[in-house]
Amino acid sequence: MTTDRCEVHEVHPERVQEAKKKLLSDEMYTSMAQTFSALGDSNRAKIIYSLIDAELCVCDIAAVVGISESAVSQHLRILRNLRLVKQRKGGRMMYYSVNDAHIGTLLEVCLEHARHG
């Protein structure tokens, strides 16, 4: 049986110092965790995936993902607040798309990791 603990407790100060230098602000890690948390919901991940190459309205998204328009709206609110999607008004319709290419890249990398396993 393997364990995640060292058999000998020995801290390497130089390695610790180098690793600490690379760390970003706590706010950056909080933002990253919130993004992954949002993508941790399968319906939100489907919504983002469907918007990578398309601009869709709530009705379209609901039809693609297979959930109610009300549920789509709730998910979109979360995704907008995290700046993962953006909206554009076209006449009486509101259209949604991914906020930038990084979002699609992030999702593609996650999906590639899932496929690889």
Side-chain angles (χ1 to χ4, degrees):
M1 178 175 169
T2 62
T3 101
D4 291 334
R5 299 183 57 121
C6 296
E7 292 182 20
V8 177
H9 180 75
E10 179 183 349
V11 175
H12 300 90
E14 306 84 27
R15 293 180 187 172
V16 170
Q17 200 58 23
E18 284 301 313
K20 281 186 172 185
K21 285 180 189 177
K22 294 178 185 177
L23 290 179
L24 305 173
S25 69
D26 287 344
E27 292 80 18
M28 290 297 292
Y29 292 107
T30 298
S31 176
M32 182 177 65
Q34 289 170 338
T35 297
F36 280 112
S37 177
L39 294 175
D41 179 280
S42 62
N43 285 321
R44 286 194 289 267
K46 288 178 194 176
I47 289 169
I48 292 286
Y49 196 74
S50 68
L51 296 175
I52 288 175
D53 294 320
E55 185 179 63
L56 302 171
C57 69
V58 171
C59 303
D60 294 336
I61 296 169
V64 169
V65 178
I67 59 176
S68 71
E69 292 178 26
S70 175
V72 168
S73 293
Q74 291 175 15
H75 288 304
L76 286 170
R77 180 181 45 80
I78 292 167
L79 296 171
R80 273 193 327 270
N81 288 341
L82 292 171
R83 299 178 339 223
L84 299 176
V85 299
K86 60 185 175 183
Q87 61 188 25
R88 177 187 67 81
K89 190 165 177 84
R92 294 176 26 199
M93 302 290 290
M94 189 68 73
Y95 294 96
Y96 294 87
S97 59
V98 292
N99 196 29
D100 60 47
H102 296 110
I103 306 308
T105 301
L106 176 63
L107 194 60
E108 288 292 342
V109 168
C110 289
L111 290 170
E112 183 61 30
H113 176 72
R115 289 181 191 119
H116 183 75

mmCIF file of all heavy atoms in Angstrom, residues 3-51:
data_model
loop_
_atom_site.group_PDB
_atom_site.id
_atom_site.type_symbol
_atom_site.label_atom_id
_atom_site.label_comp_id
_atom_site.label_asym_id
_atom_site.label_seq_id
_atom_site.Cartn_x
_atom_site.Cartn_y
_atom_site.Cartn_z
ATOM 1 N N THR A 3 1.466 5.393 0.422
ATOM 2 C CA THR A 3 0.911 6.500 1.178
ATOM 3 C C THR A 3 1.419 7.797 0.586
ATOM 4 O O THR A 3 2.403 7.816 -0.152
ATOM 5 C CB THR A 3 1.270 6.435 2.690
ATOM 6 O OG1 THR A 3 2.316 7.319 2.983
ATOM 7 C CG2 THR A 3 1.675 5.064 3.104
ATOM 8 N N ASP A 4 0.752 8.869 0.921
ATOM 9 C CA ASP A 4 1.145 10.186 0.420
ATOM 10 C C ASP A 4 2.053 10.910 1.404
ATOM 11 O O ASP A 4 2.149 12.128 1.377
ATOM 12 C CB ASP A 4 -0.106 11.035 0.149
ATOM 13 C CG ASP A 4 -0.904 10.505 -1.026
ATOM 14 O OD1 ASP A 4 -0.308 9.858 -1.892
ATOM 15 O OD2 ASP A 4 -2.118 10.736 -1.071
ATOM 16 N N ARG A 5 2.680 10.185 2.250
ATOM 17 C CA ARG A 5 3.551 10.787 3.259
ATOM 18 C C ARG A 5 4.992 10.342 3.047
ATOM 19 O O ARG A 5 5.252 9.233 2.604
ATOM 20 C CB ARG A 5 3.090 10.386 4.653
ATOM 21 C CG ARG A 5 1.674 10.845 4.961
ATOM 22 C CD ARG A 5 1.320 10.475 6.363
ATOM 23 N NE ARG A 5 2.285 11.064 7.271
ATOM 24 C CZ ARG A 5 1.977 11.903 8.241
ATOM 25 N NH1 ARG A 5 0.735 12.216 8.453
ATOM 26 N NH2 ARG A 5 2.905 12.415 9.023
ATOM 27 N N CYS A 6 5.917 11.210 3.413
ATOM 28 C CA CYS A 6 7.332 10.849 3.373
ATOM 29 C C CYS A 6 7.626 9.930 4.555
ATOM 30 O O CYS A 6 7.029 10.063 5.623
ATOM 31 C CB CYS A 6 8.209 12.099 3.495
ATOM 32 S SG CYS A 6 8.023 13.254 2.136
ATOM 33 N N GLU A 7 8.542 9.011 4.348
ATOM 34 C CA GLU A 7 8.946 8.150 5.457
ATOM 35 C C GLU A 7 9.839 8.906 6.427
ATOM 36 O O GLU A 7 9.910 8.568 7.594
ATOM 37 C CB GLU A 7 9.657 6.913 4.921
ATOM 38 C CG GLU A 7 8.719 5.986 4.164
ATOM 39 C CD GLU A 7 9.411 4.730 3.676
ATOM 40 O OE1 GLU A 7 10.483 4.381 4.210
ATOM 41 O OE2 GLU A 7 8.871 4.102 2.760
ATOM 42 N N VAL A 8 10.526 9.910 5.920
ATOM 43 C CA VAL A 8 11.400 10.738 6.755
ATOM 44 C C VAL A 8 10.928 12.173 6.619
ATOM 45 O O VAL A 8 10.734 12.667 5.510
ATOM 46 C CB VAL A 8 12.877 10.633 6.297
ATOM 47 C CG1 VAL A 8 13.762 11.545 7.104
ATOM 48 C CG2 VAL A 8 13.361 9.195 6.354
ATOM 49 N N HIS A 9 10.719 12.828 7.749
ATOM 50 C CA HIS A 9 10.282 14.236 7.701
ATOM 51 C C HIS A 9 11.517 15.125 7.596
ATOM 52 O O HIS A 9 12.275 15.288 8.548
ATOM 53 C CB HIS A 9 9.484 14.592 8.964
ATOM 54 C CG HIS A 9 9.012 16.006 8.953
ATOM 55 N ND1 HIS A 9 7.959 16.416 8.163
ATOM 56 C CD2 HIS A 9 9.458 17.105 9.600
ATOM 57 C CE1 HIS A 9 7.776 17.712 8.336
ATOM 58 N NE2 HIS A 9 8.678 18.149 9.209
ATOM 59 N N GLU A 10 11.714 15.682 6.394
ATOM 60 C CA GLU A 10 12.848 16.570 6.168
ATOM 61 C C GLU A 10 12.418 17.643 5.186
ATOM 62 O O GLU A 10 12.076 17.354 4.044
ATOM 63 C CB GLU A 10 14.037 15.792 5.603
ATOM 64 C CG GLU A 10 15.234 16.677 5.317
ATOM 65 C CD GLU A 10 16.387 15.913 4.693
ATOM 66 O OE1 GLU A 10 16.365 14.679 4.663
ATOM 67 O OE2 GLU A 10 17.304 16.583 4.205
ATOM 68 N N VAL A 11 12.417 18.884 5.612
ATOM 69 C CA VAL A 11 12.057 20.007 4.757
ATOM 70 C C VAL A 11 13.306 20.486 4.039
ATOM 71 O O VAL A 11 14.381 20.605 4.629
ATOM 72 C CB VAL A 11 11.433 21.149 5.598
ATOM 73 C CG1 VAL A 11 11.173 22.376 4.742
ATOM 74 C CG2 VAL A 11 10.167 20.673 6.282
ATOM 75 N N HIS A 12 13.167 20.757 2.752
ATOM 76 C CA HIS A 12 14.276 21.271 1.942
ATOM 77 C C HIS A 12 14.046 22.771 1.744
ATOM 78 O O HIS A 12 13.287 23.169 0.845
ATOM 79 C CB HIS A 12 14.323 20.543 0.597
ATOM 80 C CG HIS A 12 14.518 19.074 0.722
ATOM 81 N ND1 HIS A 12 13.468 18.200 0.830
ATOM 82 C CD2 HIS A 12 15.659 18.344 0.782
ATOM 83 C CE1 HIS A 12 13.939 16.974 0.932
ATOM 84 N NE2 HIS A 12 15.267 17.035 0.919
ATOM 85 N N PRO A 13 14.676 23.620 2.554
ATOM 86 C CA PRO A 13 14.391 25.059 2.530
ATOM 87 C C PRO A 13 14.547 25.717 1.167
ATOM 88 O O PRO A 13 13.744 26.561 0.791
ATOM 89 C CB PRO A 13 15.407 25.644 3.529
ATOM 90 C CG PRO A 13 15.811 24.499 4.390
ATOM 91 C CD PRO A 13 15.686 23.266 3.549
ATOM 92 N N GLU A 14 15.563 25.297 0.399
ATOM 93 C CA GLU A 14 15.769 25.916 -0.912
ATOM 94 C C GLU A 14 14.610 25.605 -1.854
ATOM 95 O O GLU A 14 14.120 26.489 -2.564
ATOM 96 C CB GLU A 14 17.088 25.422 -1.552
ATOM 97 C CG GLU A 14 18.318 25.576 -0.702
ATOM 98 C CD GLU A 14 18.498 24.415 0.283
ATOM 99 O OE1 GLU A 14 18.033 23.283 0.018
ATOM 100 O OE2 GLU A 14 19.103 24.660 1.333
ATOM 101 N N ARG A 15 14.160 24.365 -1.864
ATOM 102 C CA ARG A 15 13.048 23.966 -2.726
ATOM 103 C C ARG A 15 11.758 24.660 -2.310
ATOM 104 O O ARG A 15 10.970 25.091 -3.163
ATOM 105 C CB ARG A 15 12.857 22.458 -2.685
ATOM 106 C CG ARG A 15 13.989 21.684 -3.308
ATOM 107 C CD ARG A 15 13.728 20.202 -3.236
ATOM 108 N NE ARG A 15 14.893 19.456 -3.689
ATOM 109 C CZ ARG A 15 15.009 18.154 -3.587
ATOM 110 N NH1 ARG A 15 14.025 17.440 -3.059
ATOM 111 N NH2 ARG A 15 16.088 17.547 -4.018
ATOM 112 N N VAL A 16 11.560 24.756 -1.004
ATOM 113 C CA VAL A 16 10.365 25.429 -0.481
ATOM 114 C C VAL A 16 10.382 26.888 -0.899
ATOM 115 O O VAL A 16 9.368 27.431 -1.364
ATOM 116 C CB VAL A 16 10.274 25.284 1.053
ATOM 117 C CG1 VAL A 16 9.192 26.185 1.622
ATOM 118 C CG2 VAL A 16 10.043 23.830 1.441
ATOM 119 N N GLN A 17 11.511 27.547 -0.755
ATOM 120 C CA GLN A 17 11.633 28.974 -1.104
ATOM 121 C C GLN A 17 11.380 29.194 -2.594
ATOM 122 O O GLN A 17 10.676 30.124 -2.967
ATOM 123 C CB GLN A 17 13.019 29.486 -0.699
ATOM 124 C CG GLN A 17 13.113 30.974 -0.558
ATOM 125 C CD GLN A 17 12.129 31.542 0.451
ATOM 126 O OE1 GLN A 17 11.632 30.877 1.367
ATOM 127 N NE2 GLN A 17 11.812 32.797 0.279
ATOM 128 N N GLU A 18 11.934 28.338 -3.443
ATOM 129 C CA GLU A 18 11.721 28.447 -4.891
ATOM 130 C C GLU A 18 10.252 28.240 -5.242
ATOM 131 O O GLU A 18 9.702 28.961 -6.074
ATOM 132 C CB GLU A 18 12.596 27.444 -5.645
ATOM 133 C CG GLU A 18 14.042 27.840 -5.742
ATOM 134 C CD GLU A 18 14.257 29.170 -6.442
ATOM 135 O OE1 GLU A 18 13.660 29.387 -7.530
ATOM 136 O OE2 GLU A 18 14.997 30.002 -5.904
ATOM 137 N N ALA A 19 9.621 27.264 -4.627
ATOM 138 C CA ALA A 19 8.208 27.006 -4.892
ATOM 139 C C ALA A 19 7.345 28.177 -4.436
ATOM 140 O O ALA A 19 6.393 28.565 -5.115
ATOM 141 C CB ALA A 19 7.768 25.715 -4.206
ATOM 142 N N LYS A 20 7.668 28.768 -3.302
ATOM 143 C CA LYS A 20 6.906 29.913 -2.785
ATOM 144 C C LYS A 20 7.028 31.122 -3.707
ATOM 145 O O LYS A 20 6.073 31.876 -3.867
ATOM 146 C CB LYS A 20 7.373 30.284 -1.376
ATOM 147 C CG LYS A 20 6.829 29.399 -0.299
ATOM 148 C CD LYS A 20 7.225 29.927 1.077
ATOM 149 C CE LYS A 20 6.531 29.164 2.168
ATOM 150 N NZ LYS A 20 6.814 29.735 3.494
ATOM 151 N N LYS A 21 8.186 31.306 -4.321
ATOM 152 C CA LYS A 21 8.390 32.430 -5.234
ATOM 153 C C LYS A 21 7.453 32.366 -6.428
ATOM 154 O O LYS A 21 7.079 33.383 -6.989
ATOM 155 C CB LYS A 21 9.831 32.462 -5.741
ATOM 156 C CG LYS A 21 10.842 32.946 -4.754
ATOM 157 C CD LYS A 21 12.223 32.937 -5.396
ATOM 158 C CE LYS A 21 13.321 33.207 -4.398
ATOM 159 N NZ LYS A 21 14.656 33.125 -5.028
ATOM 160 N N LYS A 22 7.087 31.160 -6.833
ATOM 161 C CA LYS A 22 6.238 30.963 -8.007
ATOM 162 C C LYS A 22 4.758 31.190 -7.710
ATOM 163 O O LYS A 22 3.969 31.358 -8.632
ATOM 164 C CB LYS A 22 6.421 29.555 -8.555
ATOM 165 C CG LYS A 22 7.802 29.296 -9.103
ATOM 166 C CD LYS A 22 7.927 27.865 -9.581
ATOM 167 C CE LYS A 22 9.347 27.568 -10.029
ATOM 168 N NZ LYS A 22 9.490 26.169 -10.417
ATOM 169 N N LEU A 23 4.386 31.179 -6.437
ATOM 170 C CA LEU A 23 2.972 31.319 -6.086
ATOM 171 C C LEU A 23 2.432 32.691 -6.470
ATOM 172 O O LEU A 23 3.144 33.691 -6.410
ATOM 173 C CB LEU A 23 2.769 31.094 -4.583
ATOM 174 C CG LEU A 23 2.955 29.677 -4.076
ATOM 175 C CD1 LEU A 23 2.752 29.623 -2.559
ATOM 176 C CD2 LEU A 23 1.999 28.719 -4.764
ATOM 177 N N LEU A 24 1.171 32.704 -6.849
ATOM 178 C CA LEU A 24 0.462 33.945 -7.174
ATOM 179 C C LEU A 24 -0.323 34.392 -5.954
ATOM 180 O O LEU A 24 -0.298 33.744 -4.908
ATOM 181 C CB LEU A 24 -0.464 33.697 -8.365
ATOM 182 C CG LEU A 24 0.210 33.133 -9.620
ATOM 183 C CD1 LEU A 24 -0.834 32.767 -10.655
ATOM 184 C CD2 LEU A 24 1.219 34.110 -10.173
ATOM 185 N N SER A 25 -1.092 35.457 -6.093
ATOM 186 C CA SER A 25 -1.888 35.958 -4.972
ATOM 187 C C SER A 25 -3.021 34.977 -4.647
ATOM 188 O O SER A 25 -3.472 34.211 -5.501
ATOM 189 C CB SER A 25 -2.490 37.320 -5.316
ATOM 190 O OG SER A 25 -3.476 37.174 -6.324
ATOM 191 N N ASP A 26 -3.490 35.014 -3.409
ATOM 192 C CA ASP A 26 -4.611 34.171 -3.000
ATOM 193 C C ASP A 26 -5.841 34.455 -3.856
ATOM 194 O O ASP A 26 -6.623 33.541 -4.147
ATOM 195 C CB ASP A 26 -4.952 34.398 -1.520
ATOM 196 C CG ASP A 26 -3.922 33.774 -0.592
ATOM 197 O OD1 ASP A 26 -3.124 32.932 -1.058
ATOM 198 O OD2 ASP A 26 -3.920 34.128 0.602
ATOM 199 N N GLU A 27 -6.023 35.706 -4.274
ATOM 200 C CA GLU A 27 -7.170 36.074 -5.102
ATOM 201 C C GLU A 27 -7.153 35.333 -6.440
ATOM 202 O O GLU A 27 -8.190 34.930 -6.960
ATOM 203 C CB GLU A 27 -7.223 37.586 -5.326
ATOM 204 C CG GLU A 27 -7.522 38.404 -4.095
ATOM 205 C CD GLU A 27 -6.314 38.622 -3.179
ATOM 206 O OE1 GLU A 27 -5.157 38.438 -3.630
ATOM 207 O OE2 GLU A 27 -6.530 38.959 -2.008
ATOM 208 N N MET A 28 -5.953 35.162 -7.003
ATOM 209 C CA MET A 28 -5.838 34.446 -8.280
ATOM 210 C C MET A 28 -6.259 32.994 -8.115
ATOM 211 O O MET A 28 -6.977 32.443 -8.959
ATOM 212 C CB MET A 28 -4.404 34.519 -8.814
ATOM 213 C CG MET A 28 -4.005 35.900 -9.294
ATOM 214 S SD MET A 28 -4.987 36.473 -10.689
ATOM 215 C CE MET A 28 -4.454 35.357 -11.958
ATOM 216 N N TYR A 29 -5.843 32.366 -7.031
ATOM 217 C CA TYR A 29 -6.209 30.959 -6.805
ATOM 218 C C TYR A 29 -7.688 30.820 -6.483
ATOM 219 O O TYR A 29 -8.328 29.844 -6.883
ATOM 220 C CB TYR A 29 -5.334 30.341 -5.711
ATOM 221 C CG TYR A 29 -3.896 30.203 -6.174
ATOM 222 C CD1 TYR A 29 -2.911 31.038 -5.671
ATOM 223 C CD2 TYR A 29 -3.542 29.270 -7.140
ATOM 224 C CE1 TYR A 29 -1.602 30.940 -6.108
ATOM 225 C CE2 TYR A 29 -2.238 29.169 -7.589
ATOM 226 C CZ TYR A 29 -1.266 29.995 -7.069
ATOM 227 O OH TYR A 29 0.020 29.904 -7.519
ATOM 228 N N THR A 30 -8.244 31.805 -5.804
ATOM 229 C CA THR A 30 -9.684 31.800 -5.531
ATOM 230 C C THR A 30 -10.460 31.895 -6.834
ATOM 231 O O THR A 30 -11.423 31.155 -7.058
ATOM 232 C CB THR A 30 -10.061 32.948 -4.581
ATOM 233 O OG1 THR A 30 -9.388 32.762 -3.340
ATOM 234 C CG2 THR A 30 -11.556 33.012 -4.349
ATOM 235 N N SER A 31 -10.041 32.792 -7.708
ATOM 236 C CA SER A 31 -10.695 32.949 -9.006
ATOM 237 C C SER A 31 -10.593 31.666 -9.821
ATOM 238 O O SER A 31 -11.574 31.228 -10.442
ATOM 239 C CB SER A 31 -10.063 34.114 -9.760
ATOM 240 O OG SER A 31 -10.612 34.234 -11.046
ATOM 241 N N MET A 32 -9.433 31.050 -9.822
ATOM 242 C CA MET A 32 -9.239 29.811 -10.552
ATOM 243 C C MET A 32 -10.133 28.711 -9.982
ATOM 244 O O MET A 32 -10.774 27.973 -10.742
ATOM 245 C CB MET A 32 -7.770 29.378 -10.479
ATOM 246 C CG MET A 32 -7.482 28.113 -11.261
ATOM 247 S SD MET A 32 -5.744 27.633 -11.259
ATOM 248 C CE MET A 32 -5.481 27.248 -9.538
ATOM 249 N N ALA A 33 -10.204 28.621 -8.663
ATOM 250 C CA ALA A 33 -11.045 27.600 -8.027
ATOM 251 C C ALA A 33 -12.518 27.814 -8.359
ATOM 252 O O ALA A 33 -13.261 26.854 -8.593
ATOM 253 C CB ALA A 33 -10.820 27.609 -6.514
ATOM 254 N N GLN A 34 -12.949 29.074 -8.409
ATOM 255 C CA GLN A 34 -14.338 29.368 -8.763
ATOM 256 C C GLN A 34 -14.628 28.954 -10.206
ATOM 257 O O GLN A 34 -15.710 28.436 -10.507
ATOM 258 C CB GLN A 34 -14.638 30.851 -8.562
ATOM 259 C CG GLN A 34 -14.686 31.254 -7.110
ATOM 260 C CD GLN A 34 -14.752 32.758 -6.918
ATOM 261 O OE1 GLN A 34 -14.370 33.542 -7.786
ATOM 262 N NE2 GLN A 34 -15.238 33.175 -5.753
ATOM 263 N N THR A 35 -13.678 29.169 -11.097
ATOM 264 C CA THR A 35 -13.852 28.762 -12.488
ATOM 265 C C THR A 35 -13.993 27.248 -12.590
ATOM 266 O O THR A 35 -14.909 26.739 -13.240
ATOM 267 C CB THR A 35 -12.664 29.244 -13.350
ATOM 268 O OG1 THR A 35 -12.637 30.669 -13.332
ATOM 269 C CG2 THR A 35 -12.771 28.743 -14.786
ATOM 270 N N PHE A 36 -13.101 26.519 -11.929
ATOM 271 C CA PHE A 36 -13.186 25.060 -11.968
ATOM 272 C C PHE A 36 -14.449 24.555 -11.280
ATOM 273 O O PHE A 36 -15.044 23.572 -11.716
ATOM 274 C CB PHE A 36 -11.941 24.414 -11.359
ATOM 275 C CG PHE A 36 -10.780 24.383 -12.309
ATOM 276 C CD1 PHE A 36 -9.659 25.154 -12.072
ATOM 277 C CD2 PHE A 36 -10.806 23.585 -13.449
ATOM 278 C CE1 PHE A 36 -8.590 25.122 -12.950
ATOM 279 C CE2 PHE A 36 -9.745 23.554 -14.332
ATOM 280 C CZ PHE A 36 -8.626 24.326 -14.083
ATOM 281 N N SER A 37 -14.866 25.246 -10.233
ATOM 282 C CA SER A 37 -16.107 24.865 -9.559
ATOM 283 C C SER A 37 -17.296 25.022 -10.507
ATOM 284 O O SER A 37 -18.164 24.155 -10.581
ATOM 285 C CB SER A 37 -16.309 25.718 -8.307
ATOM 286 O OG SER A 37 -17.525 25.413 -7.683
ATOM 287 N N ALA A 38 -17.316 26.130 -11.243
ATOM 288 C CA ALA A 38 -18.401 26.358 -12.207
ATOM 289 C C ALA A 38 -18.390 25.294 -13.289
ATOM 290 O O ALA A 38 -19.438 24.774 -13.681
ATOM 291 C CB ALA A 38 -18.281 27.751 -12.822
ATOM 292 N N LEU A 39 -17.212 24.941 -13.775
ATOM 293 C CA LEU A 39 -17.100 23.925 -14.816
ATOM 294 C C LEU A 39 -17.303 22.523 -14.260
ATOM 295 O O LEU A 39 -17.472 21.569 -15.024
ATOM 296 C CB LEU A 39 -15.744 24.027 -15.518
ATOM 297 C CG LEU A 39 -15.530 25.306 -16.327
ATOM 298 C CD1 LEU A 39 -14.109 25.348 -16.869
ATOM 299 C CD2 LEU A 39 -16.542 25.418 -17.444
ATOM 300 N N GLY A 40 -17.302 22.386 -12.928
ATOM 301 C CA GLY A 40 -17.526 21.102 -12.290
ATOM 302 C C GLY A 40 -18.971 20.644 -12.381
ATOM 303 O O GLY A 40 -19.280 19.493 -12.092
ATOM 304 N N ASP A 41 -19.863 21.525 -12.782
ATOM 305 C CA ASP A 41 -21.258 21.162 -13.003
ATOM 306 C C ASP A 41 -21.392 20.739 -14.462
ATOM 307 O O ASP A 41 -21.059 21.507 -15.373
ATOM 308 C CB ASP A 41 -22.162 22.357 -12.694
ATOM 309 C CG ASP A 41 -23.617 22.030 -12.921
ATOM 310 O OD1 ASP A 41 -24.050 22.064 -14.091
ATOM 311 O OD2 ASP A 41 -24.316 21.743 -11.933
ATOM 312 N N SER A 42 -21.891 19.523 -14.695
ATOM 313 C CA SER A 42 -21.923 18.996 -16.069
ATOM 314 C C SER A 42 -22.793 19.836 -17.002
ATOM 315 O O SER A 42 -22.457 20.000 -18.184
ATOM 316 C CB SER A 42 -22.388 17.539 -16.079
ATOM 317 O OG SER A 42 -23.703 17.433 -15.577
ATOM 318 N N ASN A 43 -23.889 20.399 -16.506
ATOM 319 C CA ASN A 43 -24.720 21.240 -17.379
ATOM 320 C C ASN A 43 -23.999 22.522 -17.771
ATOM 321 O O ASN A 43 -24.073 22.947 -18.927
ATOM 322 C CB ASN A 43 -26.062 21.559 -16.714
ATOM 323 C CG ASN A 43 -26.992 20.371 -16.733
ATOM 324 O OD1 ASN A 43 -27.056 19.634 -17.708
ATOM 325 N ND2 ASN A 43 -27.710 20.165 -15.644
ATOM 326 N N ARG A 44 -23.281 23.133 -16.833
ATOM 327 C CA ARG A 44 -22.524 24.343 -17.176
ATOM 328 C C ARG A 44 -21.396 24.005 -18.147
ATOM 329 O O ARG A 44 -21.115 24.776 -19.074
ATOM 330 C CB ARG A 44 -22.012 25.029 -15.918
ATOM 331 C CG ARG A 44 -23.110 25.729 -15.158
ATOM 332 C CD ARG A 44 -22.590 26.678 -14.111
ATOM 333 N NE ARG A 44 -21.993 26.017 -12.969
ATOM 334 C CZ ARG A 44 -22.636 25.710 -11.845
ATOM 335 N NH1 ARG A 44 -23.909 26.027 -11.699
ATOM 336 N NH2 ARG A 44 -22.005 25.134 -10.857
ATOM 337 N N ALA A 45 -20.756 22.857 -17.961
ATOM 338 C CA ALA A 45 -19.702 22.447 -18.897
ATOM 339 C C ALA A 45 -20.292 22.245 -20.292
ATOM 340 O O ALA A 45 -19.694 22.650 -21.292
ATOM 341 C CB ALA A 45 -19.020 21.173 -18.399
ATOM 342 N N LYS A 46 -21.476 21.638 -20.374
ATOM 343 C CA LYS A 46 -22.141 21.459 -21.669
ATOM 344 C C LYS A 46 -22.493 22.798 -22.296
ATOM 345 O O LYS A 46 -22.350 22.980 -23.514
ATOM 346 C CB LYS A 46 -23.413 20.630 -21.508
ATOM 347 C CG LYS A 46 -23.192 19.169 -21.227
ATOM 348 C CD LYS A 46 -24.551 18.499 -21.056
ATOM 349 C CE LYS A 46 -24.462 17.140 -20.443
ATOM 350 N NZ LYS A 46 -25.798 16.555 -20.214
ATOM 351 N N ILE A 47 -22.958 23.721 -21.481
ATOM 352 C CA ILE A 47 -23.306 25.057 -21.994
ATOM 353 C C ILE A 47 -22.069 25.715 -22.588
ATOM 354 O O ILE A 47 -22.093 26.210 -23.721
ATOM 355 C CB ILE A 47 -23.935 25.926 -20.888
ATOM 356 C CG1 ILE A 47 -25.333 25.409 -20.543
ATOM 357 C CG2 ILE A 47 -23.985 27.397 -21.316
ATOM 358 C CD1 ILE A 47 -25.945 26.034 -19.293
ATOM 359 N N ILE A 48 -20.972 25.719 -21.834
ATOM 360 C CA ILE A 48 -19.730 26.325 -22.331
ATOM 361 C C ILE A 48 -19.293 25.626 -23.625
ATOM 362 O O ILE A 48 -18.951 26.283 -24.604
ATOM 363 C CB ILE A 48 -18.609 26.230 -21.275
ATOM 364 C CG1 ILE A 48 -18.917 27.114 -20.072
ATOM 365 C CG2 ILE A 48 -17.257 26.602 -21.879
ATOM 366 C CD1 ILE A 48 -18.742 28.586 -20.312
ATOM 367 N N TYR A 49 -19.320 24.299 -23.623
ATOM 368 C CA TYR A 49 -18.879 23.549 -24.800
ATOM 369 C C TYR A 49 -19.731 23.889 -26.019
ATOM 370 O O TYR A 49 -19.220 24.026 -27.128
ATOM 371 C CB TYR A 49 -18.897 22.052 -24.508
ATOM 372 C CG TYR A 49 -18.121 21.238 -25.501
ATOM 373 C CD1 TYR A 49 -16.736 21.240 -25.495
ATOM 374 C CD2 TYR A 49 -18.767 20.471 -26.458
ATOM 375 C CE1 TYR A 49 -16.011 20.501 -26.401
ATOM 376 C CE2 TYR A 49 -18.054 19.724 -27.380
ATOM 377 C CZ TYR A 49 -16.672 19.746 -27.343
ATOM 378 O OH TYR A 49 -15.951 19.015 -28.253
ATOM 379 N N SER A 50 -21.024 24.050 -25.812
ATOM 380 C CA SER A 50 -21.912 24.369 -26.936
ATOM 381 C C SER A 50 -21.697 25.790 -27.453
ATOM 382 O O SER A 50 -22.045 26.096 -28.589
ATOM 383 C CB SER A 50 -23.375 24.155 -26.550
ATOM 384 O OG SER A 50 -23.789 25.095 -25.586
ATOM 385 N N LEU A 51 -21.120 26.650 -26.622
ATOM 386 C CA LEU A 51 -20.895 28.050 -27.013
ATOM 387 C C LEU A 51 -19.499 28.313 -27.569
ATOM 388 O O LEU A 51 -19.203 29.433 -27.980
ATOM 389 C CB LEU A 51 -21.144 28.970 -25.816
ATOM 390 C CG LEU A 51 -22.573 29.002 -25.277
ATOM 391 C CD1 LEU A 51 -22.654 29.850 -24.013
ATOM 392 C CD2 LEU A 51 -23.536 29.509 -26.334
#
